[in-house]
Amino acid sequence: MSINATANHSKTFLIISLIFLLSLSVTAFGESPEEKGFEIAARSDRSDNGYGDSKVEMTMILRNAAGDETTRSINFTTLERENEEVGDKSLVLFNTPRDIKGTALLSHAQILKPDNQWLYLPALKRVKRISSSNKSGPFVGSEFAFEDFTATELKKFSYKFLREEPCGELTCDVLERVPLYKKSGYSKQISWIDQSIFQLRKLEFYDRRGQLLKVLEASDYREYLDGIWRSHRFAMKNVQTKKQTDLIWADYQFKTGLADNAFEKGKLSRVR
């Protein structure tokens, strides 16, 4: 090989190396914590696309600070959103105990507008609209707020990647998310999303004063429909009152043929 050929070869190698290093620099420094946070949250949210609709029975266990328990039986149905600009529709129906049997909460989630929620109370035989100022209140005495049932939409929050760390036997991405919708009872939330199946493992809720209020832990994940994952146990602990509410789900049914007409306010008094 001539001296000129060797020089040209070296120059070509140097240029390729510089291009490679520049590309690494863009990858390493071109993504802000906010962009990375949104990307991780979107990957988790979109892993749930395509389930259509679902039906499931669940047990709600309310536990006070002394450890005393009361149990409620609930049916929960959901209709998947049309796209990320439209929220899911859901219906929660209480079967037991007798004094609240027939109580139903209908939710039409919005993105940045106030969610539409209606509560049917059989004792009063009337449908009550939940105002946006009351959505942070407790849902039928549980540690879940009304907004907890609709605040899973991706674009309801801004995001920021904080770190990655072990979460049990898995590794999780830890994100801060701040509600973008008005009247939220939370100043921010911190979420742990695993890097294996991209599901929520833990969620901290901070009150409007910035103090830690509640911690939700999600466990017992099971796979449906070749890639749709559902937790079968939620444990929501209020660290300020020491009360706790557990939700334990039975097996899910998907693609059951539910349509919009199953989620109409006018039918709340007749749902069974």
Side-chain angles (χ1 to χ4, degrees):
M1 182 180 293
S2 69
I3 293 177
N4 286 339
T6 301
N8 288 336
H9 179 76
S10 298
K11 187 183 293 183
T12 302
F13 178 76
L14 179 60
I15 292 171
I16 291 174
S17 298
L18 285 172
I19 292 173
F20 178 71
L21 288 172
L22 282 172
S23 68
L24 283 180
S25 298
V26 170
T27 302
F29 302 111
E31 190 176 44
S32 69
E34 289 77 13
E35 290 170 331
K36 185 172 183 178
F38 180 83
E39 178 185 325
I40 293 168
R43 182 178 61 187
S44 174
D45 184 75
R46 291 164 187 164
S47 72
D48 200 46
N49 286 351
Y51 73 86
D53 64 74
S54 67
K55 293 182 179 179
V56 65
E57 295 179 2
M58 68 179 179
T59 301
M60 174 184 281
I61 303 172
L62 290 79
R63 192 174 296 112
N64 64 20
D68 300 324
E69 294 184 357
T70 56
T71 301
R72 295 166 176 177
S73 173
I74 301 169
N75 284 349
F76 190 78
T77 56
T78 309
L79 183 65
E80 187 180 19
R81 67 200 167 195
E82 299 169 8
N83 55 62
E84 290 179 357
E85 306 304 321
V86 182
D88 289 351
K89 296 180 179 179
S90 63
L91 178 63
V92 178
L93 175 65
F94 284 81
N95 296 318
T96 63
R98 179 177 297 179
D99 60 335
I100 60 170
K101 179 180 173 62
T103 298
L105 174 68
L106 174 65
S107 301
H108 292 179
Q110 307 283 327
I111 304 303
L112 298 182
K113 296 179 180 177
D115 296 325
N116 294 315
Q117 287 185 300
W118 301 271
L119 183 67
Y120 175 68
L121 300 169
L124 302 177
K125 295 183 178 179
R126 62 186 287 257
V127 175
K128 175 184 178 184
R129 184 181 179 88
I130 308 299
S131 70
S132 57
S133 60
N134 289 331
K135 294 185 189 303
S136 60
F139 175 57
V140 289
S142 75
E143 298 312 308
F144 289 85
F146 284 97
E147 70 175 290
D148 296 339
F149 285 89
T150 58
T152 58
E153 306 296 338
L154 175 65
K155 295 186 178 179
K156 278 180 173 286
F157 302 89
S158 63
Y159 299 89
K160 182 179 181 181
F161 173 77
L162 299 179
R163 61 187 181 275
E164 69 173 40
E165 65 182 27
C167 52
E169 298 179 349
L170 302 170
T171 300
C172 279
D173 292 311
V174 184
L175 312 181
E176 177 187 275
R177 65 184 200 185
V178 176
L180 296 175
Y181 54 96
K182 296 179 180 178
K183 307 291 186 182
S184 173
Y186 310 118
S187 58
K188 68 176 181 180
Q189 300 171 7
I190 306 295
S191 65
W192 280 254
I193 297 173
D194 75 72
Q195 295 180 352
S196 176
I197 57 173
F198 316 127
Q199 300 301 308
L200 178 73
R201 299 289 169 167
K202 181 180 173 182
L203 186 60
E204 293 180 347
F205 299 79
Y206 290 78
D207 63 21
R208 290 170 178 163
R209 297 172 301 170
Q211 302 298 312
L212 179 61
L213 174 62
K214 303 184 295 188
V215 179
L216 173 70
E217 294 191 352
S219 60
D220 191 13
Y221 274 94
R222 303 175 196 173
E223 185 179 16
Y224 297 86
L225 301 178
D226 192 23
I228 301 296
W229 292 88
R230 287 289 182 274
S231 166
H232 284 255
R233 186 181 188 90
F234 274 8
M236 180 76 93
K237 185 173 184 178
N238 188 317
V239 300
Q240 296 183 4
T241 65
K242 309 304 180 188
K243 295 180 180 179
Q244 180 167 326
T245 299
D246 293 345
L247 300 180
I248 301 172
W249 283 273
D251 289 336
Y252 279 81
Q253 300 175 59
F254 290 95
K255 298 184 184 296
T256 65
L258 290 173
D260 283 318
N261 59 11
F263 299 87
E264 294 177 354
K265 181 186 68 172
K267 294 184 177 179
L268 271 179
S269 62
R270 304 193 297 274
V271 294
R272 295 291 184 272

